[in-house]
Amino acid sequence: MNIKLAQTSNDINQAYQVRMTVFVDEQKVPPDEEVDEHDKTCLHFVGYEDEEPIAASRLRFTDNYGKLERICILKKHRGKSHGTKIIRQMEEVISSKGYRKAKLNAQTHAVKFYQRLGYEVVSGEFMDAGIPHVTMVKHLSE
């Protein structure tokens, strides 16, 4: 998978396409909850396989951390380490901007995946868009 930082409106639309397929169509998140006010100011990443967009995520910087959000892989492309690749790229960008902490809200079914990448649960369970989540953080090396 080739990951690129979205630079054009076409790139961002491809990220939205993947997100809508995963979160709205598959997980039944209401469309008005999936796209929010942060989409205009955050960095968007798109993962491609054979020039087809298959993965997406976004990154926001707030307080003293980079916040990984909307991480998703199209169903037929899961289980191929694409999630790990996109998260590692996001962590590199966080570090390059001088931040030393990454944070995310993980769907509870994905907690073990994030733990394998070094994230620790720092909250109790809460609901977001009708899906149980927990907050996780990771301290990035210098």
Side-chain angles (χ1 to χ4, degrees), residues 1-19:
M1 179 177 71
N2 175 39
I3 302 165
K4 96 180 207 187
L5 186 58
Q7 301 290 329
T8 67
S9 58
N10 186 54
D11 296 341
I12 292 169
N13 286 335
Q14 289 177 331
Y16 288 156
Q17 227 176 358
V18 174
R19 285 171 46 187

Side-chain angles (χ1 to χ4, degrees), residues 12 35 40 66 107 123:
I12 292 169
V35 176
K40 291 182 172 107
Q107 293 182 7
S123 78

